[in-house]
């Protein structure tokens, strides 16, 4: 599964490795810190619970799961027309050939600048961000935004600049696959912080929890707004201890070190709890070629791991 939200740090490439280490038959599976929901969508379980504290992400995932593909795409096409945005999945590249800025490798940026900023400002003016109208616009914003990310300022306004891509065949495919898959599985989406009681309750009723928190030594967009600090990391590690004591199976993704920086709280915690919690640290072979924030560090060595307690 590839996420229709093109989430930075999404785990689609890692799924074949993860599946080898996940339990084979799962009743209730929790995808904690689900982001684009790649992991929960890719596994076989009786029930999948997606949890993230980003209300916009949860609302958008829910929204995209409500409609059939044809209904949704016809609404999106009306908006693409209204904002005069490029639509290479339908018209190919030829229609935009003249405007495609090859020299600066800016893709569709030139074609979409005016329409994108109009779309963004219309979205920001909508009061109810959970309305059908707002969420259709939000999906398009992600598709046309810089890096296909989702970022809001402190006043809740979407603030990414226009990007290079548009609604191309690849995005259509991901959207279609998502809609099909999400309708096939038994799943729910919950917005909440891992420290909330309601979330702990869900976790304690689960059979297996996969957690992909922001990385203490990461630099993705959600790290800017989620304020993931050493303190938060320790609270999260404390939660893992509670889960273990309640005989819950978990697997956690993280990066232990990269270019001279290392995650000390996590490394210390592993050393200290390895035997008691039956921790198993598996090295993951990852070349994050897709994520542009990592292109800068293409050849940088980082130690990406999956930590499990079974
Ligand atoms: C590494 S990303 C998850 C990527 C995801 N596994 C995927 O494949 O797309 C981390 C996620 O944690 C969420 N998050 C950050 N702080 C959180 C918190 N305190 N409680 C719950 N979710 C949080 C962010 O919104 C972000 O979506």
């Amino acid at each position: 599964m590839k996420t229709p939200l093109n989430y930075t740090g999404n785990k689609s490439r890692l799924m074949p490795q993860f599946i080898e280490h996940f339990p084979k038959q799962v009743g209730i599976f929790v995808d904690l810190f689900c982001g684009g929901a790649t992991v929960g969508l890719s596994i076989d379980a009786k029930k999948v619970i997606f949890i993230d504290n980003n209300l916009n992400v949860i609302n958008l995932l829910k929204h995209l799961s409500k409609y059939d593909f044809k209904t949704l795409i016809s609404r999106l096409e009306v908006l693409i027309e209204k904002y005069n945005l490029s639509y290479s999945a339908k018209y190919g590249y030829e229609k935009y050939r003249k405007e495609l800025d090859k020299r600066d490798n800016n893709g569709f940026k030139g074609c979409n600048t005016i329409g994108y900023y109009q779309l963004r400002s219309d979205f920001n003016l909508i009061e109810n961000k959970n309305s059908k109208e707002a969420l259709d616009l939000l999906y398009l914003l992600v598709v046309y935004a810089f890096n296909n990310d989702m970022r809001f300022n402190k006043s809740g306004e979407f603030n990414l600049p226009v990007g290079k891509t548009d609604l191309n065949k690849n995005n259509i495919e991901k959207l279609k696959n998502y809609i099909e898959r999400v309708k096939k599985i038994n799943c729910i989406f919950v917005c909440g912080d891992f420290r909330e009681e309601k979330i702990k309750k869900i976790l304690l009723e689960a059979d297996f929890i996969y957690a992909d928190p922001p990385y203490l030594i990461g630099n993705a967009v959600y790290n800017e707004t989620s304020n993931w600090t050493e303190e938060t990391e320790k609270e999260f590690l404390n939660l893992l201890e509670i889960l273990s004591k309640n005989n819950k199976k978990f697997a956690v993704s993280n990066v232990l070190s990269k270019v001279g920086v290392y995650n000390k709280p996590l490394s210390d915690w592993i050393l200290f709890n390895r035997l008691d919690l039956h921790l198993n640290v598996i090295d993951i072979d990852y070349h994050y070629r897709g994520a542009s924030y990592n292109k800068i560090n293409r050849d940088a060595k980082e130690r990406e791991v999956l930590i499990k307690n079974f």
Side-chain angles (χ1 to χ4, degrees):
M1 273 301 304
K2 280 190 180 158
T3 166
L5 303 191
N6 201 24
Y7 224 73
T8 305
N10 81 74
K11 296 294 180 286
S12 54
R13 288 178 192 206
L14 301 186
M15 281 320 293
Q17 290 179 69
F18 285 2
I19 295 288
E20 276 179 38
H21 300 287
F22 282 4
K24 295 293 166 258
Q25 280 174 337
V26 183
I28 302 177
F29 174 86
V30 174
D31 186 350
L32 180 59
F33 310 98
C34 70
T38 326
V39 179
L41 290 169
S42 310
I43 87 140
D44 278 325
K46 289 214 172 83
K47 181 172 183 179
V48 179
I49 305 179
F50 295 100
I51 301 175
D52 202 284
N53 72 344
N54 186 330
L55 185 60
N56 294 298
V57 168
I58 291 293
N59 283 344
L60 188 52
L61 288 170
K62 267 192 206 166
H63 177 71
L64 299 177
S65 72
K66 273 189 203 156
Y67 307 96
D68 63 81
F69 175 73
K70 275 194 180 151
T71 312
L72 183 63
I73 203 74
S74 56
R75 288 210 310 268
L76 296 176
E77 285 182 349
V78 172
L79 293 168
I80 287 174
E81 185 88 6
K82 175 177 171 190
Y83 291 101
N84 199 16
L85 297 164
S86 66
Y87 185 11
S88 61
K90 184 161 183 178
Y91 302 111
Y93 289 81
E94 207 42 56
K95 182 173 176 196
Y96 311 103
R97 184 76 57 210
K98 266 199 211 142
E99 286 158 275
L100 279 174
D101 195 343
K102 275 195 211 142
R103 196 190 42 201
D104 294 330
N105 193 22
N106 275 335
F108 289 96
K109 196 170 168 180
C111 308
N112 294 326
T113 303
I114 297 174
Y116 172 83
Y117 287 107
Q118 186 58 53
L119 167 72
R120 195 179 79 170
S121 106
D122 287 353
F123 170 80
N124 285 333
L125 284 172
I126 300 178
E127 221 161 276
N128 180 4
K129 294 286 190 283
N130 196 20
S131 62
K132 182 165 138 188
E133 186 197 4
L135 291 165
D136 278 357
L137 293 186
L138 181 57
Y139 172 72
L140 283 185
L141 280 176
V142 173
V143 167
Y144 290 86
F146 176 74
N147 254 348
N148 305 115
D149 252 319
M150 199 193 291
R151 192 180 70 192
F152 295 85
N153 63 19
K154 287 206 174 97
S155 332
E157 290 171 330
F158 193 94
N159 67 355
L160 281 173
V162 63
K164 299 176 183 181
T165 54
D166 75 346
L167 195 59
N168 53 33
K169 286 194 172 142
N170 192 22
N171 287 328
I172 293 274
E173 199 58 26
K174 287 193 277 191
L175 184 60
K176 209 172 180 178
N177 288 344
Y178 172 76
I179 292 173
E180 274 169 21
R181 177 71 183 156
V182 84
K183 286 189 165 35
K184 239 184 237 164
I185 63 175
N186 172 19
C187 66
I188 57 167
F189 297 92
V190 180
C191 180
D193 187 292
F194 73 90
R195 291 161 286 200
E196 281 175 48
E197 276 313 310
K198 75 164 186 199
I199 302 299
K200 271 190 198 150
K201 192 166 173 278
I202 294 175
L203 299 175
L204 290 173
E205 282 166 9
D207 296 302
F208 175 51
I209 297 132
Y210 167 73
D212 187 18
Y215 301 155
L216 193 59
I217 54 174
N219 50 359
V221 162
Y222 37 76
N223 290 42
E224 291 169 19
T225 41
S226 77
N227 296 321
W228 194 271
T229 61
E230 277 204 24
E231 196 46 44
T232 334
E233 182 91 351
K234 284 177 187 160
E235 288 175 284
F236 171 63
L237 296 174
N238 188 39
L239 170 72
L240 295 181
E241 287 172 34
I242 296 171
L243 294 178
S244 262
K245 281 171 193 149
N246 282 276
N247 300 318
K248 296 290 157 193
K249 284 186 182 162
F250 65 70
V252 177
S253 281
N254 223 298
V255 168
L256 280 178
S257 60
K258 67 174 192 185
V259 273
V261 199
Y262 88 116
N263 183 334
K264 189 166 170 0
L266 180 60
S267 310
D268 287 354
W269 181 82
I270 293 172
L271 268 179
F272 192 77
N273 291 291
R274 192 166 215 144
L275 294 176
D276 278 359
L277 304 188
H278 307 288
L279 299 177
N280 191 353
V281 180
I282 298 141
D283 279 280
I284 296 295
D285 176 13
Y286 199 6
H287 306 288
Y288 253 114
R289 294 290 190 246
S292 60
Y293 74 92
N294 246 329
K295 277 184 190 144
I296 324 156
N297 286 334
R298 273 218 152 148
D299 300 306
K301 289 247 180 302
E302 60 174 48
R303 187 170 177 213
E304 170 130 28
V305 290
L306 186 71
I307 305 154
K308 54 180 216 168
N309 66 343
F310 57 96

